[in-house]
Structure formats: C-alpha cells, structure tokens
Amino acid sequence: MAVLELPEWTALAPALILAGTALVLFLLDSINPRSTNRALLAGTAVAGSLSS
C-alpha cells in the first residue's frame, strides 16, 4: 500500500488562512472604522475560522 505524501505547505495552510482572514478583517475595518453594523466583520471572522 502506497503512502500518500502531501506537500509541506499543507501543514501551514490553516495558519495561512487565519492570517489571510486577519488581513481581510483589518482592511474591512480600516475602510469604515465607525460603522455600527459589525455583521460583516463577524461573518468574515467566522468564515475564516471555520475554513481553517
């Protein structure tokens, strides 16, 4: 039985996804920092966390 070897970057994928999510949240918050509707930020954070 052959062992399937994954590329090394797959070990870093969850951390990279979380870092990308943090950058997206930073950009969204810097566009409109005084917004009272935080559903977009919360949804982005949840989507990034679940995808990682």
Side-chain angles (χ1 to χ4, degrees):
M1 177 181 240
V3 176
L4 176 68
E5 291 191 31
L6 296 174
E8 292 180 7
W9 63 266
T10 55
L12 293 174
L16 294 175
I17 292 171
L18 284 176
T21 302
L23 288 174
V24 169
L25 287 172
F26 178 72
L27 289 173
L28 289 175
D29 196 36
S30 66
I31 291 171
N32 193 4
R34 292 190 177 103
S35 175
T36 57
N37 184 6
R38 297 296 182 182
L40 178 63
L41 295 176
T44 305
V46 168
S49 297
L50 291 176
S51 66
S52 69

